[in-house]
Amino acid sequence: MSQEVLAIIWFALWAVLWMVYFALDGYTLGTGILFPFLSKSKQEELQLQETIGPYWNVNEVWVITAGGATFAAFPLTYALMFSYLYVPLFLILFALFFRAIGLEFMHKHEDPKWKTFWKWAFFAGSAAVALLWGVAFANLFQGLLIDANGSSDTLLTLLNPYGLIGGLTFVSLFALSGSLWIAFKVKGDVEERAWKLSKTLWAVAAAIYGIFLIATAAMTPLLHNFVTYPVLFLVPALALAALLLVRFYQNKGRKLAAFLSLFGTILLTVATGFIGLFPNMLLSKIDPKYSITLFQAAASQKTLTIMFIVAVVMVPIIIAYQLWTYFLFKEKITIQNARGYHQ
């Protein structure tokens, strides 16, 4: 295959890695966001911890792979993106640390102050990661202040209205995803609380999602590819339909179907962003001539070919391992058998 074809294939794989990461880590981040509000006792905290214990670090494999793929397949994009978004990406890294440590340390000591601190660290880390990823990707889709001298963006310019709408969209969708996952995985009072809360969260998420779609059409150049190829409108239309299906399945009491519908909404929403972005990887909102395309950023044909072979072998293994994990831990978690995290 030519370098151009390989570069396009790798752009698609790059998008898929991010789509799967956000859809999978969305429910674990959402569980962290809801953790202090759904648990009323230590046993209930153990229930909530166990809903994500076997999965959350496996889900992180996708973001590491996405970062690695950016580094190897599009080294120019990797270098510029980590330079232009240095502060927000480091904040995400620290938030990931706090989230993981909060989950790990919460029940390592019985002192109430210790437990309270790490419980809220778990909440704050999860909420910050969701918000900052939303802000970062909203800015990538809207465009950065890139000119001949590089990017002049700061953390404050990234926290623009569209960036914040993107951040709130991620937080609301992930919180909803977490509530649906918890309601599906546990039995007892926590299940009832999470299911009841999910109905309120759906209304909030749907309202923010509507604002996000309107803002995306009005404030970003992503619409161009969709207008050029109208069939592509099917992707955001299916994302919206999947979000409406969540409410349909909530009314039917079908927890897993509601969760999977939202999973589809997150996948297709991120896909919509990457379709609109193509063939650019770093958009300039100052002048399109300063944007970085996938063809400019792509590695050599040999590198892309070797990576493609590795991906064809390894990605099915990762998927099979994750499916096995979900099969192995398929039982519902009751308050009597809850073991928490690492217990």
Side-chain angles (χ1 to χ4, degrees), residues 7-25 59 61-67 69-70 74 137 141 235 263-264 266-275 277-278 281 308 311 315-316 318-319 322:
I8 292 170
I9 290 172
W10 266 105
F11 182 86
L13 288 173
W14 185 60
V16 168
L17 290 171
W18 284 110
M19 288 159 56
V20 174
Y21 166 65
F22 287 130
L24 284 174
D25 213 23
N59 294 343
V61 169
W62 291 93
V63 71
I64 294 169
T65 308
T70 314
F74 303 105
F137 272 79
F141 295 150
V235 179
F263 190 92
I266 297 172
L267 275 179
L268 293 167
T269 301
V270 181
T272 300
F274 280 103
I275 289 170
L277 190 64
F278 181 88
M281 298 193 80
F308 181 70
V315 170
I318 295 171
I319 293 172
Q322 285 211 278

Side-chain angles (χ1 to χ4, degrees), residues 179-192:
S179 67
L180 294 170
W181 177 251
I182 293 166
F184 169 68
K185 281 298 292 180
V186 305
K187 278 186 174 179
D189 292 342
V190 177
E191 175 190 7
E192 292 177 15

Side-chain angles (χ1 to χ4, degrees), residues 309-321:
I309 295 169
V310 172
V312 168
V313 174
M314 294 304 298
V315 170
I317 294 174
I318 295 171
I319 293 172
Y321 175 75

Side-chain angles (χ1 to χ4, degrees), residues 217-233:
M219 301 170 73
T220 77
L222 299 188
L223 209 56
H224 175 74
N225 284 347
F226 293 90
V227 172
T228 306
Y229 303 100
V231 68
L232 295 176
F233 276 112

Side-chain angles (χ1 to χ4, degrees), residues 25-338:
D25 213 23
Y27 77 81
T28 59
L29 289 168
T31 300
I33 293 169
L34 301 178
F35 190 90
F37 311 105
L38 288 177
S39 55
K40 304 292 183 187
S41 66
K42 179 179 178 181
Q43 275 307 112
E44 291 183 350
E45 289 178 352
L46 295 178
Q47 270 186 294
L48 290 178
Q49 284 184 308
E50 198 169 336
T51 59
I52 61 171
Y55 317 111
W56 76 272
N57 49 2
V58 184
N59 294 343
E60 299 288 314
V61 169
W62 291 93
V63 71
I64 294 169
T65 308
T70 314
F71 172 76
F74 303 105
L76 180 62
T77 300
Y78 181 89
L80 295 177
M81 188 167 72
F82 275 77
S83 173
Y84 296 164
L85 302 176
Y86 186 81
V87 174
L89 288 176
F90 253 82
L91 289 175
I92 289 172
L93 192 61
F94 282 120
L96 285 169
F97 289 160
F98 256 89
R99 172 205 185 200
I101 296 170
L103 182 62
E104 294 257 6
F105 282 20
M106 197 182 305
H107 291 297
K108 296 294 184 187
H109 198 287
E110 290 304 315
D111 180 62
K113 289 181 181 176
W114 171 277
K115 293 172 68 173
T116 300
F117 177 82
W118 290 116
K119 179 170 72 175
W120 285 99
F122 180 43
F123 158 80
S126 301
V129 170
L131 180 71
L132 290 168
W133 275 133
V135 169
F137 272 79
N139 276 283
L140 285 177
F141 295 150
Q142 186 184 39
L144 301 171
L145 296 172
I146 303 173
D147 59 18
N149 298 314
S151 173
S152 55
D153 271 304
T154 65
L155 184 60
L156 288 179
T157 61
L158 295 173
L159 294 173
N160 57 66
Y162 183 70
L164 291 172
I165 292 170
L168 292 175
T169 303
F170 271 39
V171 171
S172 60
L173 288 177
F174 291 176
L176 175 58
S177 184
S179 67
L180 294 170
W181 177 251
I182 293 166
F184 169 68
K185 281 298 292 180
V186 305
K187 278 186 174 179
D189 292 342
V190 177
E191 175 190 7
E192 292 177 15
R193 274 181 232 131
W195 187 239
K196 183 179 178 183
L197 180 61
S198 75
K199 295 176 181 177
T200 303
L201 288 174
W202 182 88
V204 174
I208 295 175
Y209 193 75
I211 295 170
F212 176 70
L213 289 182
I214 294 169
T216 299
M219 301 170 73
T220 77
L222 299 188
L223 209 56
H224 175 74
N225 284 347
F226 293 90
V227 172
T228 306
Y229 303 100
V231 68
L232 295 176
F233 276 112
L234 271 175
V235 179
L238 286 172
L240 187 58
L243 184 59
L244 296 174
L245 269 178
V246 175
R247 177 57 103 189
F248 173 78
Y249 287 125
Q250 282 179 322
N251 291 336
K252 295 287 183 184
R254 297 176 60 182
K255 298 181 176 71
L256 180 59
F259 171 76
L260 291 176
S261 296
L262 188 65
F263 190 92
T265 299
I266 297 172
L267 275 179
L268 293 167
T269 301
V270 181
T272 300
F274 280 103
I275 289 170
L277 190 64
F278 181 88
N280 296 295
M281 298 193 80
L282 293 173
L283 270 173
S284 168
K285 59 183 176 185
I286 294 176
D287 190 323
K289 70 180 181 183
Y290 298 120
S291 297
I292 304 297
T293 70
L294 67 97
F295 302 111
Q296 292 172 287
S300 68
Q301 184 177 8
K302 185 177 181 180
T303 302
L304 294 176
T305 303
I306 293 171
M307 287 184 56
F308 181 70
I309 295 169
V310 172
V312 168
V313 174
M314 294 304 298
V315 170
I317 294 174
I318 295 171
I319 293 172
Y321 175 75
Q322 285 211 278
L323 291 175
W324 175 75
T325 306
Y326 284 95
F327 175 77
L328 191 65
F329 297 99
K330 63 180 182 298
E331 298 298 327
K332 297 261 189 182
I333 305 159
T334 66
I335 199 162
Q336 291 81 17
N337 68 12

